[in-house]
Amino acid sequence: MPEIVGESLAKRLIAWDVDTIFGLPGDGINGLMEGFRRHAPELKFVLVHHEEAAAFMATGYAKATGRLGVCAATSGPGAIHLLNGLYDAKLDHVPVLAITGMQETSLLGSRYQQEVHLDRLYSDVADYNLMISNPQQMPGVVDLAIRNALTKKTVSHLTFPNDVQVAPVTEDPYRHPAPGAPPVGLPKLDRPQLPPGADELRAAAELLNGARKPVILVGVGALNARDEVIAVAEKLGAPVVKTLPGKAVVPDDHPVTTGGLGLLGTKPSEEAMEECDALLMVGTSFPYGKYLPQPGQARVVQIDSDPTLLGLRLPVEAPIAADAKSGLQGLLPLLRGGDGSFLAKYRKEMDTWRADMKALRDESRDPIAPQYLMGVIDDLAADDAILTCDSGTIATWSARHWTIRGDRRYYLSGNLATMAPGLPYAIAMQHAFPGRQVIAFVGDGGFAMLMAEFLTAVRHKLPIKVVINNNNAYGQILWEQIVLGYPEYAVRHHQPEADFASWARGCGAYGVKVTSPGNVADAVREALTHDGPALVDVDVNPNEPPMPGKVKYEQAKHFTEAFLRGQPHKAATVTTVVRDKISELRA
């Protein structure tokens, strides 16, 4: 049996230590599927129900493991469905290879069924983007695609016409020289770790040593530098503020951190940023400029392994092109240390904030408070649990009530902020880490988009735990309408409300519906200890506002104006807000 292009692709992926492909077959990739079949079980194909989920799974796999994520889809609509998940990978800087099919080369340009020129469609999302037109391009272009994805932390895309997929890999229809194929033992690549420059380190240290109120802002690029971040913070006496994707950099109960920044962040973090006279940014190019120091307020040091991100948000006096770990290791011996008064001030502020947040986890509140639901998960989950989350109000509850301790991890769509990745992320991460507890904390809106993938978890015997924060609405959009001064419109679902627990049981898994606060803890506990996939669908208060850590005057003004124009759930919302404030005052 001759080696076909599809098999050559499979062999090359295996040579790069790829062991899993997430995807959905179709006649546009049958030749590739044959190649994958010939090399099973070395190369496992995880069959999904929707191609968007396959791309999210590849992205989640890459985020959690640091390895290349791979997804595959057929030509036309299958490949189009991948795009949302691939943009998630691109914007959050993780390496993913997308493999798609294409019509036979002789049919291209003839308006054949499902003919979509994917190399053009993918030109924005994929850094390396190629349609294979000659078997002789194999396996060299596969190496180039993977190198680009790994070194640049981005998306690569290869699309294979049907006739090329099944052509013998030795076939040379054009008699043209092919690129040389590197040996199978090619060293695996990653972004080069740049040593920090001595002059850059001295300039940064001089700036930070002269500060009275320094703050450190850390992002996902600092996940491997926890000890170094804490050491620098303690030396400088600087509060550590965290981006949402960088939540796991420093444990949430550590005395140096003031938690997150931004709409989902904490009041102490926002106030520390408003007061600081120096800012050390590590592994982040935080996109929300209104939460950063005002121009002229603070001098800035930035450490990032990608030089193109240095100075992207603020003028940076002392840029350091290096990975977070080596940059901080080089900086630490040059720091003199501060008096600690600025950090001490915000430690007290954080004590108050934590007490306020704990007060909102009130079991007696009915309807169920989403803060209480997230607090129960936080209390009962393992110290090495992985939490995945969707976008929306649930991101607020998880950001504030999921505590990073031990080796816990936290993943969501950071920059794209798309709905629906929570479930596919959990599936991919459970596949990558079969011995760890993986929990998807998702909203009813996001779960409904890709709920068929829960059956994927059941079929692959992946014991994920899904907790649905069910407010029967698109909650974040609702509150954005109100803050902008509009009455709510078209954001709540009509009756009947969904019972996703029935779907879970129909899939042969554990499923329970919770409507009373007194049943939350037992239901979550049973799900976490269940030997297999489990789902808890919890009806929470639909009128619970995800208030910013520090409410601005304009936000309060728009909120009030919208209510004066007549919100349909005005009384219930006012009651909820008053209850929240009373709970905080009692803490």
Side-chain angles (χ1 to χ4, degrees):
M1 185 182 299
E3 181 180 318
I4 61 173
V5 166
E7 184 175 8
S8 176
L9 170 64
K11 290 170 65 175
R12 204 60 187 167
L13 292 174
I14 292 168
W16 280 92
D17 288 340
V18 173
D19 58 16
T20 303
I21 299 174
F22 303 96
L24 181 58
D27 61 355
I29 56 169
N30 278 339
L32 301 182
M33 294 300 298
E34 170 60 14
F36 301 156
R37 183 196 67 80
R38 293 182 185 182
H39 288 274
E42 289 178 277
L43 194 60
K44 182 174 182 179
F45 190 87
V46 176
L47 177 63
V48 304
H49 289 269
H50 194 292
E51 293 90 354
E52 182 179 3
F56 279 138
M57 290 179 193
T59 301
Y61 182 91
K63 285 183 176 183
T65 66
R67 299 170 63 188
L68 181 72
V70 182
C71 56
T74 190
S75 56
I80 294 170
H81 285 159
L82 290 177
L83 284 172
N84 196 38
L86 294 179
Y87 271 103
D88 185 30
K90 175 186 174 72
L91 270 60
D92 280 358
H93 308 289
V94 293
V96 170
L97 172 64
I99 301 168
T100 63
M102 179 72 73
Q103 281 67 29
E104 286 84 353
T105 54
S106 60
L107 296 173
L108 293 177
S110 68
R111 300 187 180 182
Y112 195 72
Q113 183 187 33
Q114 296 186 336
E115 182 181 349
V116 176
H117 291 265
L118 298 175
D119 51 336
R120 301 177 196 172
L121 181 66
Y122 278 56
S123 61
D124 180 59
V125 73
D127 187 82
Y128 188 90
N129 178 30
L130 184 69
M131 183 182 78
I132 310 301
S133 57
N134 188 331
Q136 291 290 296
Q137 292 175 275
M138 300 292 291
V141 294
V142 180
D143 290 325
L144 291 171
I146 294 175
R147 285 181 184 178
N148 274 268
L150 288 174
T151 57
K152 298 177 182 178
K153 305 294 187 188
T154 190
V155 174
S156 288
H157 170 237
L158 295 174
T159 187
F160 294 79
N162 275 337
D163 52 334
V164 175
Q165 294 175 33
V166 297
V169 74
T170 56
E171 187 173 303
D172 186 6
Y174 307 116
R175 301 295 187 270
H176 289 159
V184 171
L186 184 72
K188 306 304 180 282
L189 300 178
D190 203 340
R191 184 186 294 277
Q193 298 302 303
L194 304 174
D199 291 342
E200 288 79 6
L201 289 173
R202 280 193 292 270
E206 182 179 353
L207 187 158
L208 293 170
N209 286 332
R212 294 184 303 107
K213 300 177 179 179
V215 167
I216 302 173
L217 176 63
V218 296
V220 68
L223 280 175
N224 69 333
R226 173 181 288 185
D227 292 343
E228 288 77 13
V229 168
I230 292 173
V232 169
E234 291 176 338
K235 187 76 171 285
L236 287 174
V240 176
V241 177
K242 303 186 289 184
T243 69
L244 197 54
K247 182 174 172 64
V249 173
V250 176
D252 281 312
D253 56 359
H254 197 284
V256 299
T257 187
T258 55
L261 181 66
L263 186 63
L264 315 186
T266 72
K267 182 179 179 182
S269 285
E270 194 166 341
E271 292 185 341
M273 200 64 70
E274 292 171 350
E275 190 178 354
C276 73
D277 60 4
L279 176 63
L280 170 58
M281 300 176 67
V282 186
T284 181
S285 57
F286 190 73
Y288 308 108
K290 67 180 181 179
Y291 294 101
L292 295 173
Q294 296 299 306
Q297 172 196 326
R299 304 173 70 190
V300 182
V301 176
Q302 186 177 0
I303 301 174
D304 206 291
S305 58
D306 185 350
T308 66
L309 299 179
L310 296 172
L312 185 63
R313 307 297 176 199
L314 292 170
V316 175
E317 289 187 46
I320 300 175
D323 66 282
K325 194 176 191 73
S326 63
L328 293 173
Q329 285 175 341
L331 185 61
L332 186 60
L334 304 178
L335 299 176
R336 290 197 299 268
D339 63 11
S341 59
F342 189 60
L343 177 57
K345 172 184 176 180
Y346 280 98
R347 281 179 177 169
K348 293 180 180 178
E349 295 292 331
M350 273 307 290
D351 288 341
T352 301
W353 173 265
R354 291 185 179 110
D356 289 345
M357 292 302 100
K358 188 173 182 179
L360 296 176
R361 300 182 179 189
D362 186 352
E363 181 182 357
S364 66
R365 291 170 60 189
D366 193 359
I368 298 166
Q371 299 97 322
Y372 172 62
L373 172 60
M374 188 67 249
V376 168
I377 299 169
D378 183 55
D379 290 341
L380 297 177
D383 284 352
D384 66 345
I386 296 172
L387 186 80
T388 66
C389 187
D390 272 357
S391 300
T393 55
I394 48 170
T396 301
W397 315 134
S398 63
R400 293 177 178 169
H401 299 277
W402 172 252
T403 305
I404 296 298
R405 61 173 183 263
D407 194 28
R408 283 186 172 182
R409 290 291 181 266
Y410 176 76
Y411 297 99
L412 79 173
S413 175
N415 286 289
L416 187 61
T418 181
M419 292 179 66
L423 175 60
Y425 274 13
I427 291 170
M429 294 176 189
Q430 189 74 83
H431 172 75
F433 301 105
R436 291 180 73 166
Q437 188 181 71
V438 180
I439 305 166
F441 181 61
V442 297
D444 54 296
F447 182 78
M449 287 183 173
L450 293 172
M451 61 187 287
E453 301 309 332
F454 187 78
L455 188 54
T456 301
V458 175
R459 286 171 170 160
H460 288 274
K461 297 180 172 60
L462 297 170
I464 63 168
K465 316 303 177 187
V466 178
V467 181
I468 300 176
N469 184 85
N470 193 339
N471 58 13
N472 202 40
Y474 294 104
Q476 189 68 35
I477 304 168
L478 184 157
W479 296 108
E480 287 168 349
Q481 288 181 356
I482 293 175
V483 169
L484 289 171
Y486 308 142
E488 68 172 70
Y489 177 69
V491 288
R492 298 186 196 249
H493 291 293
H494 299 298
Q495 297 294 329
E497 295 186 8
D499 180 359
F500 296 110
S502 297
W503 165 243
R505 292 193 297 271
C507 293
Y510 176 93
V512 62
K513 180 74 169 178
V514 179
T515 59
S516 171
N519 297 330
V520 171
D522 286 343
V524 172
R525 185 181 294 106
E526 289 176 17
L528 293 179
T529 57
H530 179 71
D531 185 18
L535 183 149
V536 182
D537 182 8
V538 183
D539 286 353
V540 299
N541 186 354
N543 300 304
E544 182 76 33
M547 301 298 284
K550 183 177 180 181
V551 180
K552 303 290 195 299
Y553 169 76
E554 286 298 319
Q555 292 170 320
K557 178 172 175 284
H558 288 317
F559 190 90
T560 303
E561 288 173 347
F563 266 59
L564 291 175
R565 282 203 293 270
Q567 293 294 341
H569 298 271
K570 175 168 37 178
T573 303
V574 169
T575 299
T576 298
V577 173
V578 170
R579 280 184 180 177
D580 285 353
K581 185 53 63 178
I582 291 173
S583 296
E584 290 178 16
L585 293 174
R586 285 176 176 170

Coordinates of all heavy atoms in Angstrom, one line a residue, residues 134-165:
N134 N 0.9 20.1 -4.3 CA 1.8 19.2 -4.8 C 2.3 18.2 -3.7 O 2.7 18.7 -2.7 CB 3.1 19.9 -5.4 CG 4.0 18.9 -6.2 OD1 4.1 17.8 -5.9 ND2 4.7 19.5 -7.2
P135 N 2.1 16.9 -3.9 CA 2.6 16.0 -2.9 C 4.0 16.2 -2.4 O 4.4 15.8 -1.3 CB 2.4 14.6 -3.5 CG 1.3 14.8 -4.5 CD 1.5 16.2 -5.1
Q136 N 4.8 16.7 -3.3 CA 6.3 16.9 -3.0 C 6.5 18.0 -1.9 O 7.6 18.1 -1.4 CB 7.0 17.3 -4.3 CG 7.1 16.2 -5.3 CD 8.1 15.1 -4.8 OE1 9.3 15.3 -4.7 NE2 7.6 13.9 -4.6
Q137 N 5.5 18.7 -1.6 CA 5.6 19.7 -0.6 C 5.6 19.0 0.8 O 6.0 19.7 1.8 CB 4.4 20.7 -0.6 CG 4.4 21.6 -1.8 CD 3.2 22.5 -1.8 OE1 2.1 22.0 -2.3 NE2 3.2 23.7 -1.3
M138 N 5.3 17.8 0.8 CA 5.3 17.0 2.1 C 6.6 16.4 2.3 O 7.3 15.9 1.4 CB 4.2 15.9 2.1 CG 2.8 16.4 1.9 SD 2.2 17.4 3.3 CE 2.1 16.0 4.5
P139 N 7.1 16.4 3.6 CA 6.5 16.9 4.8 C 7.0 18.3 5.2 O 6.8 18.8 6.2 CB 6.9 15.9 5.8 CG 8.3 15.5 5.4 CD 8.3 15.5 3.9
G140 N 7.8 18.9 4.2 CA 8.5 20.2 4.6 C 7.5 21.3 5.0 O 7.8 22.0 6.0
V141 N 6.4 21.4 4.3 CA 5.5 22.5 4.7 C 4.8 22.2 6.1 O 4.4 23.2 6.8 CB 4.4 22.8 3.6 CG1 5.1 23.3 2.4 CG2 3.6 21.6 3.4
V142 N 4.7 20.9 6.4 CA 4.1 20.6 7.8 C 5.1 21.1 8.8 O 4.6 21.7 9.8 CB 3.9 19.1 7.9 CG1 3.3 18.8 9.3 CG2 2.9 18.6 6.8
D143 N 6.4 20.9 8.6 CA 7.4 21.4 9.6 C 7.3 23.0 9.7 O 7.3 23.5 10.8 CB 8.8 21.0 9.1 CG 9.0 19.6 9.3 OD1 8.5 19.0 10.3 OD2 9.7 19.0 8.5
L144 N 7.1 23.6 8.5 CA 7.1 25.1 8.5 C 5.9 25.6 9.3 O 5.9 26.6 10.1 CB 7.1 25.6 7.1 CG 8.4 25.4 6.4 CD1 8.3 25.8 4.9 CD2 9.5 26.3 7.0
A145 N 4.7 24.9 9.1 CA 3.5 25.3 9.7 C 3.6 25.2 11.2 O 3.2 26.0 12.0 CB 2.3 24.5 9.2
I146 N 4.2 24.0 11.7 CA 4.3 23.7 13.1 C 5.4 24.7 13.7 O 5.2 25.2 14.9 CB 4.7 22.3 13.3 CG1 3.5 21.4 12.9 CG2 5.0 22.0 14.8 CD1 3.7 19.9 13.0
R147 N 6.5 24.9 13.0 CA 7.5 25.8 13.6 C 6.9 27.2 13.8 O 7.1 27.8 14.9 CB 8.6 26.0 12.6 CG 9.6 24.8 12.5 CD 10.6 25.2 11.5 NE 11.6 24.1 11.2 CZ 12.5 24.1 10.3 NH1 12.7 25.2 9.6 NH2 13.3 23.1 10.2
N148 N 6.1 27.7 12.9 CA 5.5 29.0 13.0 C 4.5 29.0 14.2 O 4.5 30.0 15.0 CB 4.8 29.4 11.7 CG 5.7 30.1 10.7 OD1 5.8 31.3 10.7 ND2 6.3 29.3 9.9
A149 N 3.7 28.0 14.3 CA 2.7 28.0 15.4 C 3.4 28.0 16.8 O 3.0 28.7 17.7 CB 1.8 26.8 15.3
L150 N 4.5 27.1 16.9 CA 5.1 27.0 18.2 C 6.0 28.2 18.5 O 6.0 28.7 19.7 CB 6.0 25.7 18.2 CG 5.2 24.4 18.3 CD1 6.2 23.2 18.1 CD2 4.5 24.3 19.6
T151 N 6.8 28.7 17.6 CA 7.7 29.8 17.9 C 7.0 31.1 18.1 O 7.3 32.0 18.9 CB 8.8 30.0 16.8 OG1 8.2 30.2 15.6 CG2 9.6 28.7 16.8
K152 N 5.9 31.3 17.3 CA 5.2 32.6 17.4 C 3.9 32.5 18.3 O 3.2 33.6 18.4 CB 4.8 33.0 15.9 CG 6.0 33.3 15.0 CD 5.5 33.6 13.6 CE 6.7 33.8 12.7 NZ 6.3 34.1 11.3
K153 N 3.6 31.4 18.8 CA 2.5 31.2 19.7 C 1.2 31.7 18.9 O 0.5 32.6 19.4 CB 2.6 31.9 21.0 CG 3.8 31.6 21.8 CD 3.8 30.2 22.3 CE 5.0 29.9 23.2 NZ 5.1 28.4 23.6
T154 N 0.9 31.0 17.8 CA -0.2 31.5 17.0 C -0.8 30.3 16.2 O -0.5 29.2 16.5 CB 0.3 32.6 16.0 OG1 -0.8 33.2 15.4 CG2 1.3 32.1 15.0
V155 N -1.6 30.7 15.3 CA -2.3 29.7 14.5 C -1.6 29.5 13.1 O -1.2 30.4 12.5 CB -3.8 30.1 14.2 CG1 -4.5 29.2 13.3 CG2 -4.5 30.3 15.5
S156 N -1.5 28.2 12.7 CA -1.1 27.8 11.4 C -2.2 27.1 10.7 O -3.0 26.4 11.4 CB 0.2 27.0 11.4 OG 1.3 27.8 11.7
H157 N -2.3 27.1 9.4 CA -3.4 26.5 8.7 C -2.8 25.8 7.4 O -2.1 26.4 6.6 CB -4.5 27.5 8.3 CG -5.5 26.9 7.4 ND1 -5.8 27.5 6.1 CD2 -6.3 25.9 7.4 CE1 -6.7 26.9 5.5 NE2 -7.1 25.8 6.3
L158 N -3.2 24.5 7.2 CA -2.9 23.8 6.0 C -4.2 23.3 5.5 O -5.0 22.6 6.2 CB -1.9 22.7 6.3 CG -0.5 23.1 6.7 CD1 0.3 21.8 7.1 CD2 0.2 23.9 5.7
T159 N -4.5 23.5 4.2 CA -5.6 23.0 3.5 C -5.2 22.1 2.4 O -4.3 22.4 1.6 CB -6.6 24.1 3.1 OG1 -7.8 23.4 2.6 CG2 -6.0 25.0 2.0
F160 N -5.9 20.9 2.3 CA -5.5 19.8 1.4 C -6.6 19.5 0.4 O -7.6 19.0 0.8 CB -5.1 18.5 2.1 CG -3.9 18.6 3.0 CD1 -4.0 19.2 4.3 CD2 -2.7 18.1 2.6 CE1 -2.9 19.3 5.1 CE2 -1.6 18.2 3.4 CZ -1.7 18.8 4.7
P161 N -6.4 19.8 -0.9 CA -7.4 19.3 -1.9 C -7.6 17.8 -1.8 O -6.6 17.1 -1.5 CB -6.8 19.8 -3.2 CG -5.9 20.9 -2.9 CD -5.4 20.6 -1.5
N162 N -8.8 17.4 -2.2 CA -9.1 15.9 -2.1 C -8.1 15.1 -2.9 O -7.7 14.0 -2.4 CB -10.5 15.7 -2.5 CG -11.6 15.9 -1.4 OD1 -11.2 15.8 -0.3 ND2 -12.8 16.2 -1.8
D163 N -7.8 15.5 -4.1 CA -7.0 14.6 -4.9 C -5.5 14.6 -4.4 O -4.8 13.6 -4.5 CB -7.0 15.1 -6.4 CG -6.7 16.5 -6.6 OD1 -7.0 17.3 -5.6 OD2 -6.2 16.9 -7.6
V164 N -5.1 15.7 -3.8 CA -3.7 15.7 -3.2 C -3.7 14.8 -2.0 O -2.7 14.1 -1.7 CB -3.3 17.1 -2.9 CG1 -2.0 17.1 -2.2 CG2 -3.3 18.0 -4.1
Q165 N -4.7 14.7 -1.2 CA -4.8 13.9 0.1 C -4.5 12.5 -0.2 O -3.8 11.8 0.6 CB -6.1 14.0 0.7 CG -6.5 15.4 1.2 CD -7.9 15.4 1.8 OE1 -8.4 14.4 2.3 NE2 -8.6 16.5 1.6

